Amino acid sequence: MCQSTDVRQAVLAKNDGLATALRDDLTRRGVIVVNLLSSPGSGKTELLGRVLARAVQRGIPVAALTADLATENDARRLARSGAPAKQLLTDGLCHLEARQVRGHLEGWLPEDTELLFVENVGNLVCPASYDLGETLRIVLMAVTEGEDKPLKYPTAFGSAHLVVLTKTDLAEAAGFDEDAFHAHVHRVNPGVELVRSCARTGDGVDTVLERVLAARDGAPVHRPPLMPQPQGHAHEPGEGHVVPGHPQPHATSAPAS
């Protein structure tokens, strides 16, 4: 068991080094990376497509790298936005790593890109431990998944700079308790902003884009308590993970439609 733990820590430490170098390189080029995490079926791709289309309409240089175990379906869907989109096939790996992101960006990412969205593999477990060189980590969850997901996956939700609730038009039909969801999110990530969205109607699309643009322009970013540590390990609640000297902002949410 100890050997296995040591190997895992070595893998995460190597990934951290690559992620830091990638973040530094992209920052020098004026690019920020947004890492999108969610379960399969959360509506992540549809919402991202809407955000990309809005950015293109506004003349903002944006691109997307989307990961799946198989098929190039999502890249084709995202390309309809007018933004450059590329598929990254993981060949069975349940998460992305910084080396994969760097490898797929070489020779592909347009020079004028300012925003790079990375759509991670649909999984709320493994991807949460891997830094991809992102400036923002956005965790999405659909109302159909149940309001207790933040408690079941505290590392994912606790490492988010922003949480997006999707498919809100189905909340009543799904019997979703939004107040309980907010309480659960703030239990694992005090002060994180929650945005309500519905890709079908476009609700929340502008809010998500504005938060990303604010980060691009140097606005302070929320400091989640479960940020990856220097060796790439994200502590669980109770392990002394709160970042000192960084007061948490008050939580807000986009108005309901």
Side-chain angles (χ1 to χ4, degrees), residues 49-60 81 201-202 205-206 209:
R50 296 279 189 134
V51 172
L52 292 174
R54 195 63 53 88
V56 169
Q57 290 169 5
R58 294 175 56 176
I60 300 166
S81 67
T201 64
V205 171
D206 286 319
L209 180 57

Side-chain angles (χ1 to χ4, degrees), residues 20 69 155 229:
T20 297
L69 276 66
T155 301
Q229 301 301 302

Side-chain angles (χ1 to χ4, degrees), residues 219-237:
V221 174
H222 171 70
R223 300 282 296 192
L226 302 190
M227 290 178 68
Q229 301 301 302
Q231 288 75 39
H233 172 65
H235 293 294
E236 293 297 337

Side-chain angles (χ1 to χ4, degrees), residues 41 53 70 81 93 95 102 105-106 109 117 123 129 133 141 179 182 190 193 203 215 226 247 251:
S81 67
L93 194 64
H95 62 272
R102 176 178 283 281
L105 294 182
E106 291 177 358
L109 188 67
F117 288 87
N123 183 346
S129 296
M141 194 201 86
D179 289 339
H182 280 233
E193 181 180 9
D203 289 346
L226 302 190

Side-chain angles (χ1 to χ4, degrees), residues 132-218:
L132 302 183
E134 68 259 32
T135 297
L136 283 179
R137 176 175 293 191
I138 300 179
V139 175
L140 304 91
M141 194 201 86
V143 298
T144 51
E145 297 179 62
E147 56 274 353
D148 61 345
K149 283 294 184 294
L151 301 181
K152 291 184 175 182
Y153 301 97
T155 301
F157 284 90
S159 65
H161 298 100
L162 181 71
V163 174
V164 177
L165 183 64
T166 65
K167 303 185 180 181
T168 53
D169 56 325
L170 302 178
E172 184 176 355
F176 185 73
D177 187 337
E178 191 164 337
D179 289 339
F181 171 71
H182 280 233
H184 296 333
V185 169
H186 291 136
R187 178 176 172 183
V188 300
N189 194 343
V192 70
E193 181 180 9
L194 292 100
V195 174
R196 302 178 81 255
S197 73
C198 175
R200 181 179 298 174
T201 64
D203 289 346
V205 171
D206 286 319
T207 303
V208 172
L209 180 57
E210 288 302 326
R211 297 301 181 267
V212 175
L213 291 174
R216 178 202 63 179
D217 295 338

